[in-house]
Amino acid sequence: MTNTILVLNGPNLNLLGLREPEIYGSDTLDDIAGMLEDRALELGFTIDMRQTNHEGMLVDWLHEAQADGVRAVLLNAAAYTHTSIALLDAIKAITIPVIEVHLSDPKEREEFRHLSYVGMAAALTVEGHGAGSYRLALEAVAAGKV
Ligand code: DQA
């Protein structure tokens, strides 16, 4: 087991800062990575932050997390959260704890966002705190909650 926390971001999150800022805020993904790296340093962890627009890449990275022995995965699967049985199966296939993360609170939004396949297998869900959702998820790992 390493002290690395893998942070996986799904489709359209590369456009954070530009994309619907009234919902997702003005921080870019790089801003969030920087904030997380600073907090992780204080807590004795290393952050490995990634983003992809491709579902299968997220599946591959979850498998790699297991092989690499990362401490935990923070997963914002974005829209794949609500559609991907492949991600549900991948989370169930590994023993590393996966925390579901969302900037917005999908349960407060359109009906089609209320279903979360990721949430069916995640150890914990942190949502609705903007960029702070990622920090709270990291702090939950550091506190041994997962
Ligand atoms: C999101 C919520 C999802 O419903 C949406 O498809 C996203 C972002 C969030 O972080 O709030 O792309 O995961």
Side-chain angles (χ1 to χ4, degrees):
M1 176 77 65
T2 68
N3 65 353
T4 297
I5 297 187
L6 185 60
V7 186
L8 301 183
N9 295 280
N12 302 304
L13 292 172
N14 53 312
L15 297 181
L16 273 187
L18 297 173
R19 173 194 182 206
E20 300 181 273
E22 66 287 359
I23 297 175
Y24 298 117
S26 55
D27 286 330
T28 66
L29 206 56
D30 280 349
D31 292 336
I32 295 175
M35 175 273 287
L36 270 183
E37 278 157 15
D38 289 348
R39 188 68 183 119
L41 203 64
E42 291 168 356
L43 296 169
F45 291 100
T46 300
I47 297 293
D48 180 351
M49 181 93 162
R50 304 181 191 179
Q51 189 277 330
T52 177
N53 292 322
H54 304 278
E55 183 178 9
M57 184 61 80
L58 290 170
V59 171
D60 286 345
W61 284 341
L62 286 167
H63 296 176
E64 263 177 46
Q66 176 80 20
D68 294 348
V70 307
R71 170 64 184 82
V73 179
L74 312 191
L75 173 62
N76 185 350
Y80 291 137
T81 303
H82 317 298
T83 62
S84 180
I85 298 169
L87 280 179
L88 167 63
D89 285 348
I91 296 166
K92 286 167 82 170
I94 63 175
T95 57
I96 308 280
V98 175
I99 303 187
E100 176 184 21
V101 174
H102 301 287
L103 296 134
S104 67
D105 183 350
K107 309 274 184 318
E108 299 286 317
R109 298 178 61 194
E110 304 94 322
E111 187 86 26
F112 61 83
R113 296 184 202 276
H114 296 187
L115 174 68
S116 172
Y117 286 104
V118 168
M120 289 177 198
L124 187 71
T125 296
V126 185
E127 58 195 1
H129 300 275
S133 295
Y134 289 82
R135 181 181 43 77
L136 290 168
L138 167 63
E139 289 171 353
V141 177
K145 291 191 181 144
V146 297

